[in-house]
Amino acid sequence: MRYALLFLPALVAIASVCLRPRAKARVLAEAAPPPATITGDVDTIAALDALLTELEDATVRIGGADELDERAVVELEQLAEKLEAAAASLERVA
């Protein structure tokens, strides 16, 4: 009989867990980010490929020169800006 009394606290704990009223689950609404939009060229891979081809052509033309003239520097800076813009647009898509 004594041993049966040892199981009594366990039975009370199990009964209280099983019979207590359930609390409603609370769901916090989280704001979803707006969907990504693609501006400019729809095929970003083709646009990036065209930019890389243009960069390759420019570096091949400049490659034979010993020093860069002002026109070549400006051309490379413009290509770098275009590539940075393309990379930024690809980051927004991904």
Side-chain angles (χ1 to χ4, degrees), residues 66-77:
D66 291 333
E67 292 183 13
L68 293 177
D69 60 345
E70 188 65 29
R71 182 186 55 79
V73 171
V74 170
E75 183 180 3
L76 286 175
E77 287 176 351

Side-chain angles (χ1 to χ4, degrees), residues 2-60:
R2 280 189 197 171
Y3 292 114
L5 291 176
L6 291 176
F7 291 108
L8 187 61
L11 279 173
V12 170
I14 292 172
S16 66
V17 169
C18 292
L19 298 177
R20 73 173 182 209
R22 303 272 180 204
K24 290 185 178 180
R26 295 182 185 174
V27 178
L28 299 177
E30 184 175 324
T37 57
I38 300 173
T39 59
D41 294 329
V42 176
D43 190 7
T44 54
I45 302 299
L48 187 59
D49 189 40
L51 282 172
L52 290 174
T53 302
E54 189 177 344
L55 178 64
E56 184 180 357
D57 292 343
T59 54
V60 167

